[in-house]
Structures are given as structure tokens and as C-alpha cells.
């Protein structure tokens, strides 16, 4: 416990108080900007959101921690949320190509804005968060290489198949290989929709419904299986704010329902086609 005894600090002389945080030595009161950190109450702060994305085969999950953030809390949350995304964000085609890169990019841009804030002025209602280790020193940072490895292995296998097809005929002109596809011979079969009671299937959720994850805790589960439950049910974990549909449903949660703090995206796939977003649940944790 570091005890501060004001009388032991002699003006102009050396102080016995040692602290690595120089902000406490010379607080810059002019930096107060009238915005206060949502987490510790300190100023200056800036209003922005940090996000974490989790890619899943059927459901995608977006966590959103809105600000305002002071510098310390912002750096702490940036590191935590981005570390999670680097590991959990790649597992699903849409997540891999679109959602996770944008999530990480948005966090990095916001990290730049946080970095331009002056340190929080001491004397706030509570202590700012511990920033923790820099992202590059966390084990999750290896997740940054997951897409590079995946893309690299695709290129390597493509290069390998090309070089073998031309071997032995190097003096002949090579013609582009034509791939014949059966013209619409294969009609994708729509998977049989399991008969469920309409009011437990989250696909029929309406605003005000509550959901429960039968597979594990909603906030941390990698493979949620959602059902509608009465909001009075102690199992109810989150309240549905809206259920937009269509390929951009998750964006609608972000833009139209900022009070949602989690987004579940339901995707479906017909035959061997790409996964298509069918609907999203914008929910607020209870
Ligand atoms: Zn703070």
C-alpha cells in the first residue's frame, strides 16, 4: 500500500514518493473536456465503442462496450476486446472475410483516438482501469496470424496444383483449363426445417421477448442454442430489442438499436452455397 504523506514532499526538493505514473505528479487540468469516463468517472474522456466479435458456424456474436472512455479505461478495454476478437473472431466465412476485420479495424481506429487523450486527471470517483499488457505481448496476438496462415495455405495449394498441371509440356502453349459445371443440374435442397413450437424458436422472436441459451452462459458460450423463454423466467438472460432480417440485419442492430449490447446473427446455407444472413437478434443483457 502506497501511502501519500503530503508533509514529506518538500517544495523543489526530492520526494520520497516514487510512482511510475507521472500523471499524478503533474495533472494537466486544462485537458478536462467535460466528457467523463463511463467506467471510472475520470476526465478527459472520449465517446466511442470498442467491440469484440466471435465467429460461429450458425450464430455470430458481437459484443459492444460503449464509452465514453478515459485514456486508461479505453486502452484496457481495447486490449481486452481486440485480444478476444483475434482468437474468437475468425470462425465462420462471413466473420473471416468481413465482420472480424472490420471489428478489429474499428477498434484500432478508436485506439488512435484514445491515444490522443491526456491521462485522466486524478481525483475521479474511482480508479481508472489497469491497462494491462500491450496487445502484442498477449498470447492472443498469435490470432493475428490465423488469417495470414489460412490465406497463405490457400495460395500455396493453388500454386502447387498449377505447377503440376503444366509439367512435361513446357514447350507447348498452355491453355487455360476449363472447368465444366453441370448447368443447374444440382438443385440445392432446402434442409428440412425442424418442427418447433413457434414461440420457442428465436427465429420468431419479437421485441420484448426474452431468450435463454440452453448450451451455456450467454456471454461466454461459443456455440449458443437460443430459445425464447418468458421474461419472468429466472433463466431469461437477455431481452430482445429487435429482430431485423436480411443480409445486413446485424448492421441494423448497430445503427438503429444502439441500446443493444449484443447481437446474434443467424445464418443459413442452401446446398453448398455461401452462408446467408437470415436475421439478427439485437439483445440487451438482463
Ligand atoms: Zn476511465
Amino acid at each position: 500500500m502506497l501511502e501519500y504523506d503530503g508533509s514529506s514532499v518538500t517544495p523543489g526538493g526530492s520526494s520520497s514518493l516514487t510512482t511510475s505514473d507521472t500523471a499524478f505528479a503533474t495533472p494537466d487540468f486544462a485537458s478536462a473536456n467535460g466528457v467523463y469516463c463511463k467506467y471510472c468517472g475520470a476526465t478527459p474522456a472520449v465517446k466511442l465503442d470498442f467491440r469484440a466479435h466471435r465467429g460461429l458456424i450458425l450464430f455470430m456474436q458481437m459484443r459492444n462496450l460503449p464509452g465514453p472512455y478515459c485514456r486508461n479505461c479505453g486502452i484496457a478495454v481495447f486490449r481486452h476486446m481486440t485480444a478476444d476478437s483475434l482468437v474468437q473472431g475468425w470462425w465462420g466465412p462471413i466473420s473471416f472475410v468481413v465482420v472480424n476485420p472490420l471489428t478489429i479495424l474499428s477498434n484500432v481506429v478508436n485506439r488512435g483516438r484514445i491515444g490522443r487523450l491526456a491521462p485522466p486527471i486524478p481525483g475521479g470517483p474511482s480508479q481508472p482501469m489497469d491497462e494491462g499488457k500491450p496487445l502484442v505481448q498477449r498470447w492472443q496476438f498469435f490470432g493475428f496470424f490465423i488469417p495470414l496462415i489460412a490465406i497463405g495455405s490457400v495460395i500455396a495449394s493453388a500454386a502447387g496444383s498449377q505447377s503440376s498441371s503444366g509439367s512435361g509440356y513446357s514447350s507447348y502453349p498452355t491453355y487455360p483449363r476449363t472447368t465444366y459445371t453441370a448447368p443447374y443440374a444440382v438443385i440445392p435442397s432446402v434442409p428440412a426445417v425442424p418442427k418447433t413450437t413457434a414461440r420457442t424458436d428465436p427465429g420468431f422472436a419479437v421485441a420484448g421477448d426474452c431468450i435463454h441459451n440452453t448450451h451455456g452462459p450467454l456471454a461466454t458460450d461459443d456455440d449458443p442454442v437460443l430459445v425464447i423463454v418468458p421474461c419472468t423466467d429466472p433463466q431469461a438472460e437477455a431481452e430482445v430489442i429487435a429482430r431485423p432480417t436480411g443480409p445486413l440485419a446485424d448492421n441494423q442492430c448497430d445503427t438503429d438499436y444502439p441500446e443493444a449490447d449484443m447481437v446474434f446473427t443467424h445464418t443459413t446455407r442452401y446446398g453448398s452455397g455461401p452462408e446467408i444472413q437470415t436475421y439478427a437478434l439485437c439483445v440487451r443483457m438482463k
Side-chain angles (χ1 to χ4, degrees):
M1 180 68 193
L2 184 67
E3 288 195 18
Y4 182 89
D5 176 11
S7 63
S8 71
V9 181
T10 52
S14 64
S15 163
S16 62
L17 183 72
T18 55
T19 167
S20 59
D21 195 343
T22 52
F24 286 89
T26 53
D28 178 10
F29 292 105
S31 67
N33 63 358
V35 184
Y36 295 89
C37 179
K38 183 177 172 181
Y39 300 90
C40 72
T43 190
V46 60
K47 184 155 175 32
L48 47 80
D49 299 353
F50 282 111
R51 283 141 194 238
H53 180 65
R54 177 177 285 161
L56 307 162
I57 301 305
L58 201 56
F59 279 100
M60 297 195 292
Q61 183 184 345
M62 186 68 100
R63 278 182 292 154
N64 194 15
L65 272 188
Y69 286 99
C70 71
R71 185 187 164 96
N72 287 41
C73 294
I75 292 174
V77 171
F78 162 78
R79 288 172 176 172
H80 181 80
M81 299 287 263
T82 311
D84 280 356
S85 300
L86 281 171
V87 174
Q88 301 170 342
W90 306 110
W91 314 111
I94 299 172
S95 300
F96 183 91
V97 177
V98 184
V99 186
N100 205 39
L102 290 180
T103 301
I104 292 170
L105 189 67
S106 135
N107 283 359
V108 168
V109 168
N110 284 335
R111 171 66 179 84
R113 294 173 65 193
I114 287 288
R116 289 194 290 275
L117 282 177
I121 296 169
S126 62
Q127 198 71 2
M129 290 183 207
D130 181 10
E131 296 173 10
K133 275 195 289 188
L135 198 54
V136 294
Q137 289 174 23
R138 297 183 185 212
W139 70 265
Q140 290 95 334
F141 189 70
F142 91 90
F144 178 74
F145 299 101
I146 291 174
L148 302 182
I149 292 166
I151 292 165
S153 62
V154 168
I155 291 171
S157 68
S161 65
Q162 264 182 16
S163 65
S164 64
S165 68
S167 64
Y169 297 95
S170 56
S171 62
Y172 291 88
T174 54
Y175 296 95
R177 203 157 34 150
T178 314
T179 311
Y180 293 97
T181 49
Y184 306 106
V186 184
I187 296 162
S189 61
V190 179
V193 178
K195 292 274 179 245
T196 51
T197 314
R199 292 299 295 158
T200 59
D201 185 335
F204 297 99
V206 295
D209 280 345
C210 287
I211 54 168
H212 167 65
N213 178 15
T214 59
H215 185 257
L218 191 64
T220 55
D221 185 20
D222 279 343
D223 191 16
V225 180
L226 304 178
V227 292
I228 299 175
V229 293
C231 290
T232 50
D233 190 324
Q235 288 187 314
E237 289 166 283
E239 182 186 340
V240 175
I241 295 168
R243 186 181 61 86
T245 55
L248 298 173
D250 57 337
N251 289 348
Q252 279 188 52
C253 286
D254 279 358
T255 55
D256 300 345
Y257 305 97
E259 67 272 32
D261 49 23
M262 211 179 267
V263 179
F264 290 95
T265 312
H266 183 267
T267 58
T268 194
R269 177 200 292 270
Y270 294 103
S272 57
E275 286 192 40
I276 300 164
Q277 200 180 122
T278 49
Y279 67 87
L281 295 179
C282 326
V283 307
R284 185 169 43 206
M285 296 297 285
K286 285 178 79 78

